[in-house]
């Protein structure tokens, strides 16, 4: 029989799939003997039943009754008891942290009767009515669907009428008045009064938390973080402890290390006379954690000891929520803390130095996405900069964009390709779409543990919070500073998430100093495009990144090559540690002024005309290869022969038709244009991407591929005479049948032998093919007999497998497909392992069956995607190839993929 409820004393941290991260860690802290308020957890399995059937499991009510009775017995009072009520919180908690994306309701059990009992037993009527108004607003918003802004507006109106700076300045009678206002809001919206039965409150709150798993913001967050939709959330019912009982109470969030920088020390926010949601919501600007030490040294010292205990136990930086109730410290939550990219690398290296983890585990703690984030530029520190305010540096980076004062505007502008800074007093979970769309986030309230800070850090978004000097007016859509500066919506802003500085107008950016750590171990060759930095401010970060990257290179099995078409791109790739070129696209070399020569080759009526054009192209193409082969001296360069559709080299059909028609209308016939139009019409294709391109072009247009093969061979021969070691490989594109490859291979080998004899030097180049069509994959066992390597072109493979035209579908209907759950992410971004991945796997295995020494690589965009790289490791490809900028990411993820595969084997053994 399935069990749906567990006491905090019954679980542990390993049960996050069942109890959610929050419930599992509450249980773990209870097991460690830390001060955790008693409570119990409803499992994720119960949530999944509710989401699938629309009803909670039949057994759940009885199990909750049983555990609630145990809690009441332990606490010596009952839920909502009139004279001395037991109050509980109802909080979500999924397996993976989703900060602020699901619901929380505090003070369950308060009603018109028990609020008086709470006032009497606590000795503070103000506290009791403050707690009741919080319940009404949370329950009204979360459970009953009342617009949150209605409660916020009512509070603001009351504060203004009472000339109160903050809600803590409101007196008991003010809060009684606010409770009446809130109750009326609930009644007006719901058609019936706020529920007075405590158990009814509890049951409704639990179902609301279950439902919040499918709230829009939760679904968007899961898409962003690639969290599966079928996990569900647990629900934690915990006895309330109160930080809002008076000035000797408070609540806070702390980190065992700085989540923004990774530096060791004591970091966090504290709010006296407040409940936990006040800190996270950023409604009041917080005090530093050290303020607790000044107010309550005993609780502060105990908290420091617990922080040390938890970091030592979890072997990682911990994020901790706590409350102090009249001198008694309570732990409300802990989890491995979200951190910025820089902090992730620093902390991983620190923990290695401290002997807490080894280098393999350090690699598990950092990601390719974080590494890419570290490569982003930062602001130039010199020159004119109009500094208008400074706040808390919550998430590093340099962001420049137009000020947008709500999420809808940020999303709309970003969709038009504009950079946006989302400006808010404080963010809440409903701002998630805007935060994703924006380049940076700026708030006038909140601290480093506010919603804006936590979510921005998790997404790698630049963020500055708690800029108290800003007076944000959402109605006028502007903010003002004490110096008289006004920024209105649409004005350009620059924010520095590393320093907390806010600038009016754009600020110039420069390359990240962390780029130095991503260079290949050897000094860059002459002409390198990557600058080496000597920046003491970032020296520890540079050292941490280099150390982990060195270990990644020692750990990974797959090679990492780059996609590069020009010498400068090739050099940049080599600087970043590429071990060769996995895709050199030659079609880019034939655009611009050379396009006319290719047009002559295609439209030639005689062999002499064609050969003349080819001879003009030969020295140009040879020079292209000389530069690339020299930049990659000693490393392989896979040259893809011409692949683009025929029409890309011919005059535009529409423009040419108009030209001829206008000439005829003016009775000034253009015979040359008319003749050309007939040729272009003859070659016109309805679906050029599936027409005359790739190997078909080489077979039908005599001499075109052989021109390229000769240029490759002559360039290699020249460099060998100079004492260099060129290693070209020739890739034939769009092969669907082994005979296509066999014909081109034979012609190429004959041409290479001819050049070798002419140049008096030995030349031999591997010849292979790009596997990008399903038929090629399904006949890989045949094609491998003629190919020395396969390079999987997963971009075209995705198009031809799904039947998608990438340029059309991504903007046309992919958003609807993602919303409908047809796929979680674009299959052009992350490989579709169930479909395209299976095809690649079959082709790789069958190719190896035919030719055991067949080299297997991938050269589509997926070669730089972390999730796809992990899949390629499982099917034992030999290398991935990606853009030069993504090479460091691929190096890191290839190593992490090895460790993940080993972890999976260990779990199943």
């Amino acid at each position: 029989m399935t069990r749906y409820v567990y006491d905090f004393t019954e679980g542990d941290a390993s049960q996050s799939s069942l109890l959610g991260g929050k419930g599992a860690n509450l249980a773990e802290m209870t097991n460690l003997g830390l001060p955790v308020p008693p409570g119990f957890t409803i499992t994720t399995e119960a949530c999944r039943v509710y989401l699938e059937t629309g009803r909670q499991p039949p057994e759940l009510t009885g199990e909750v009754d049983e555990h609630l009775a145990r809690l009441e017995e332990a606490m010596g009072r009952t839920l909502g008891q009139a004279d001395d009520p037991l109050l509980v919180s109802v909080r979500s908690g999924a397996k993976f942290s989703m900060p602020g994306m699901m619901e929380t309701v505090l003070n369950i059990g308060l009603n018109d009767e028990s609020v008086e009992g709470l006032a009497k037993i606590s000795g503070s009527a103000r506290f009791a009515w403050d707690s009741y108004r919080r319940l009404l607003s949370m329950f009204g918003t979360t459970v009953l669907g009342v617009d949150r802004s209605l409660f916020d507006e009512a509070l603001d109106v009351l504060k203004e009428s009472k000339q109160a700076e903050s809600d803590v300045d409101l007196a008991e009678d003010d809060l009684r008045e606010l409770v009446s206002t809130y109750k009326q809001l609930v009644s007006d919206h719901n058609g019936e009064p706020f529920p007075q039965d405590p158990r009814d409150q509890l049951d409704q709150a639990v179902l609301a938390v279950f439902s919040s798993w499918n709230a829009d913001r939760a679904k968007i967050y899961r898409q962003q973080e690639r969290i599966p939709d079928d996990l569900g959330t647990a629900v934690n019912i915990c006895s309330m402890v109160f930080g809002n009982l008076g000035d000797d109470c408070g609540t806070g969030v702390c980190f065992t290390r700085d989540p923004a920088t990774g530096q060791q020390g004591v970091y966090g926010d504290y709010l006296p006379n407040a409940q936990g949601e006040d800190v996270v919501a950023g409604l009041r600007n917080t005090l530093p954690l050290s303020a607790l030490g000044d107010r309550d040294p005993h609780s502060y010292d105990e908290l420091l000891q617990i922080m040390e205990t938890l970091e030592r136990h979890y072997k990682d930086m911990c994020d901790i929520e706590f409350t102090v109730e009249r001198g008694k410290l309570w732990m409300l939550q802990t989890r491995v803390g979200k951190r910025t990219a820089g902090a992730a690398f620093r902390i991983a290296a620190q923990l290695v130095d401290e002997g807490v983890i080894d280098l393999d585990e350090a690699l598990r703690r950092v990601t390719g996405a974080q590494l890419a984030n570290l490569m982003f530029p930062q602001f130039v520190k010199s020159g004119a900069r109009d500094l208008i305010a400074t706040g808390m540096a919550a998430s590093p980076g340099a962001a420049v964009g137009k000020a947008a004062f709500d999420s809808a505007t940020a999303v709309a502008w970003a969709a038009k390709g504009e950079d946006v800074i989302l400006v808010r007093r404080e963010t809440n979970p409903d701002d998630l779409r805007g935060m994703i769309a924006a380049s940076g986030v700026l708030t006038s309230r909140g601290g480093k543990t506010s919603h804006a800070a936590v979510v921005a850090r998790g997404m790698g978004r630049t963020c500055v919070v708690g800029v108290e000097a800003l007076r944000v007016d959402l109605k006028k859509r502007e903010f003002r500073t004490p110096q008289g500066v006004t920024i209105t919506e649409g004005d350009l802003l620059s924010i520095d998430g590393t320093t907390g500085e806010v600038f009016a107008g754009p600020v110039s950016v420069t390359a990240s100093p962390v780029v130095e750590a991503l260079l290949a171990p050897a000094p860059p060759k002459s002409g390198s495009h990557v600058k080496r930095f000597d920046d003491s401010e970032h020296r520890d970060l540079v050292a941490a990144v280099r150390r982990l990257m060195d270990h990644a290179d020692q750990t990974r099995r797959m090679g990492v090559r780059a996609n590069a078409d020009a010498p400068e791109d090739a050099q940049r790739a080599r600087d970043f540690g590429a071990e060769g070129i996995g895709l050199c696209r030659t079609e880019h070399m034939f655009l611009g002024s050379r396009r006319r020569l290719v047009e002559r080759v295609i439209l030639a009526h005689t062999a002499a005309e064609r050969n003349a054009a080819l001879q003009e192209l030969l020295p140009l193409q040879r020079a292209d290869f000389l530069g690339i082969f020299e930049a990659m001296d000693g490393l392989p360069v896979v040259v893809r022969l011409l692949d683009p559709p025929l029409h890309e080299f011919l005059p535009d059909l529409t423009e040419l038709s108009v030209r001829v028609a206008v000439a005829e209308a003016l009775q000034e016939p253009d015979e040359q244009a008319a003749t050309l139009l007939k040729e272009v019409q003859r070659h016109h294709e309805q679906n050029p991407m599936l027409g005359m391109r790739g190997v078909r072009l080489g077979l039908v247009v005599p001499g075109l591929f052989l021109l390229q093969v000769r240029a490759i061979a002559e360039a290699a021969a020249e460099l060998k005479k100079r004492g260099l070691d060129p290693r070209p490989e020739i890739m034939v594109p769009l092969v669907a049948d082994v005979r296509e490859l066999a014909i081109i291979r034979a012609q190429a080998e004959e041409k290479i032998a001819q050049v070798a004899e002419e140049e008096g030097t030995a030349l031999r180049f591997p010849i292979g093919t790009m596997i990008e069509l399903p038929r090629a994959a399904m006949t890989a066992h045949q094609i491998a007999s003629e190919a020395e390597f396969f390079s999987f072109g997963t971009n075209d493979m995705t198009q031809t497998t799904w039947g998608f035209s990438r340029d059309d579908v991504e903007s046309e209907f992919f958003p609807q497909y993602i919303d409908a759950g047809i796929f979680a992410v674009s299959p052009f971004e992350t490989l579709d392992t169930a479909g395209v991945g299976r095809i690649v796997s079959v082709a790789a295995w069958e190719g190896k069956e035919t030719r055991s020494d067949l080299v297997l690589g991938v050269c589509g965009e997926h070669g730089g995607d972390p999730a796809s790289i992990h899949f390629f490791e499982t099917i034992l490809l030999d290398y991935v190839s990606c853009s030069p900028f993504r090479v460091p990411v691929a190096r890191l993820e290839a190593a992490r993929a090895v460790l993940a595969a080993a972890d999976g084997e260990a779990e199943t053994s």
Side-chain angles (χ1 to χ4, degrees), residues 716-734:
E718 180 176 333
L719 291 174
K720 288 185 73 173
K721 290 177 182 178
R722 294 190 209 164
L724 300 181
D725 182 20
R727 299 186 183 183
E729 302 180 7
I730 296 173
M731 179 161 68
V732 183
L734 210 72

Side-chain angles (χ1 to χ4, degrees), residues 573-826:
R574 187 165 193 151
D575 289 336
F576 280 131
E579 297 158 323
I581 299 299
L583 175 62
C584 176
R585 305 175 183 90
T586 56
E587 56 269 20
H588 294 173
M589 303 171 184
F590 289 94
L591 300 178
S593 61
R594 302 185 193 180
R595 178 175 171 176
R596 186 74 175 171
L597 292 173
V598 181
E599 177 187 319
R600 284 171 52 194
V601 172
I602 295 170
L603 299 182
H605 289 93
T606 67
E609 290 178 4
R610 181 179 301 109
N611 290 335
L614 289 171
Q615 286 305 308
E616 287 187 56
L617 280 169
L618 179 61
L620 302 174
Q621 180 81 118
R622 182 171 56 242
D624 294 327
F625 294 135
L626 278 170
I628 293 172
F629 296 165
E630 184 173 8
M632 301 305 290
D633 181 41
L635 297 176
V637 177
V638 176
V639 179
R640 183 176 72 184
L641 302 181
L642 269 173
D643 184 45
L646 195 62
H647 75 280
E648 291 191 12
F649 295 117
L650 299 178
D652 182 85
L653 177 61
T654 302
E655 292 180 4
L656 195 57
S657 299
V658 170
R659 176 180 163 189
V660 171
V662 169
E664 290 176 352
L666 295 174
Q667 296 184 342
E668 298 175 357
D670 186 335
E671 295 299 334
Q672 182 182 5
T675 301
L676 184 59
L677 175 60
K678 291 179 181 178
E679 289 296 317
V680 172
Q681 287 173 330
R682 184 169 67 86
H683 290 288
H684 178 68
E685 297 175 311
Q686 293 297 326
N687 191 345
M689 292 304 293
L690 296 178
M692 183 64 70
R693 55 172 287 215
V695 67
R696 303 157 194 171
L697 200 60
L699 290 171
V700 173
V701 181
L704 190 56
F705 272 14
L706 293 182
L707 155 78
Q708 295 190 285
V709 173
R710 172 174 278 279
I712 291 168
E714 290 182 354
E718 180 176 333
L719 291 174
K720 288 185 73 173
K721 290 177 182 178
R722 294 190 209 164
L724 300 181
D725 182 20
R727 299 186 183 183
E729 302 180 7
I730 296 173
M731 179 161 68
V732 183
L734 210 72
V735 165
D737 186 86
V738 65
R739 283 294 301 155
E740 293 174 313
L741 179 59
I743 294 170
I744 296 296
R745 178 187 178 115
Q747 293 176 354
E749 288 179 335
E750 182 180 351
K751 183 61 67 177
I752 293 167
Q754 178 185 340
V755 174
E757 184 176 351
E758 292 170 358
E759 300 292 337
T761 184
L763 296 174
R764 190 200 174 284
F765 313 138
I767 297 176
T769 186
M770 181 179 280
I771 302 292
E772 52 194 318
L773 297 174
R775 190 183 191 282
M778 293 299 97
T779 59
H781 59 291
Q782 297 174 359
I783 294 175
S785 66
E786 294 289 342
E788 293 171 81
F789 65 86
F790 284 172
S791 183
F792 290 98
T794 52
N795 296 342
D796 274 2
M797 181 73 81
T798 298
Q799 292 197 96
T800 54
T801 300
W802 277 90
F804 286 157
S805 171
R806 178 176 184 172
D807 293 339
D808 298 322
V809 300
E810 284 198 290
S811 60
E812 186 67 26
F813 62 80
F814 269 26
Q816 292 91 329
Y817 265 48
I818 291 173
D819 288 344
I822 296 173
F823 38 66
V825 65
S826 165

Side-chain angles (χ1 to χ4, degrees), residues 140 181 198 222 265 275 329 341 470 481 626 758 792 825 832:
T181 302
R222 290 198 296 274
Q275 287 196 320
L329 177 67
L470 302 187
T481 72
L626 278 170
E758 292 170 358
F792 290 98
V825 65
D832 159 33

Side-chain angles (χ1 to χ4, degrees), residues 361-419:
E361 181 60 28
L363 288 183
R364 294 184 181 96
R365 301 278 180 93
V366 296
T367 69
Q370 290 169 330
L371 183 61
N373 182 269
L374 288 178
M375 298 173 72
F376 293 161
Q378 58 185 231
F379 286 139
V380 173
K381 299 190 184 300
S382 58
R385 305 195 304 174
D386 187 5
L387 178 66
I388 58 174
T390 301
M392 296 185 192
S395 185
V400 180
K402 294 166 63 175
F405 286 79
D406 62 48
S407 286
T409 302
V411 170
W413 286 355
K416 293 188 291 185
E418 298 180 282
D419 292 324

